[in-house]
Amino acid sequence: MSDKPTNSSENKNTDSKPVQEEKTNLISHLAIRLGIPFFIIFLIAVSMTDARDEKAIFLAWTTTVFLLLLLIFLARETSRFTNKKQTLLKNVNIFLLLLYIFLFVISGLFALFIGGYN
């Protein structure tokens, strides 16, 4: 048995502000990590529709390099979140890494086979 009296208000979390702040933080985190890359990739894809072969090859390689830089950024950020014990943002970044690795492979295959070394 414990000698300390337990206060029931210590055990209950009545403050909803940290939960709301964490949810807002997660939404802004996802908006930045998904919105900016997809906007840039969309702009590159729109440019590809009217491009000649050489420009399309260049844009495919540009997309591949952009996704590689994004993967490096997310991997570094995920390790930073691991050190700071922010598990929710770390898990979101791991999911985004898997998504961007898939897109990187697709973009790399497209750049290699469509605009490869002929």
Side-chain angles (χ1 to χ4, degrees):
M1 302 270 227
S2 175
D3 292 335
K4 289 186 193 178
T6 58
N7 187 356
S8 63
S9 65
E10 288 178 10
N11 294 337
K12 294 180 182 177
N13 187 6
T14 58
D15 190 16
S16 66
K17 187 176 181 181
V19 173
Q20 182 68 22
E21 184 177 316
E22 184 174 314
K23 186 181 269 188
T24 305
N25 196 12
L26 176 65
I27 291 170
S28 66
H29 182 79
L30 276 174
I32 292 169
R33 300 314 181 280
L34 283 174
I36 294 172
F38 279 121
F39 180 72
I40 292 172
I41 290 172
F42 173 75
L43 290 177
I44 292 172
V46 167
S47 298
M48 279 181 151
T49 58
D50 298 332
R52 291 190 147 142
D53 290 339
E54 296 84 19
K55 187 177 179 184
I57 294 168
F58 172 74
L59 292 173
W61 283 107
T62 303
T63 304
T64 305
V65 169
F66 172 72
L67 286 169
L68 179 65
L69 293 175
L70 187 65
L71 287 173
I72 292 169
F73 166 75
L74 279 175
R76 289 192 64 200
E77 188 179 45
T78 303
S79 68
R80 190 185 78 210
F81 286 145
T82 302
N83 294 339
K84 290 185 176 182
K85 307 284 189 222
Q86 294 177 332
T87 56
L88 183 63
L89 294 178
K90 179 189 75 165
N91 291 341
V92 167
N93 271 5
I94 289 172
F95 174 76
L96 290 175
L97 274 170
L98 293 174
L99 174 70
Y100 289 135
I101 286 172
F102 174 74
L103 291 176
F104 175 74
V105 168
I106 297 297
S107 175
L109 290 173
F110 179 77
L112 181 65
F113 291 119
I114 302 302
Y117 301 106
N118 294 341

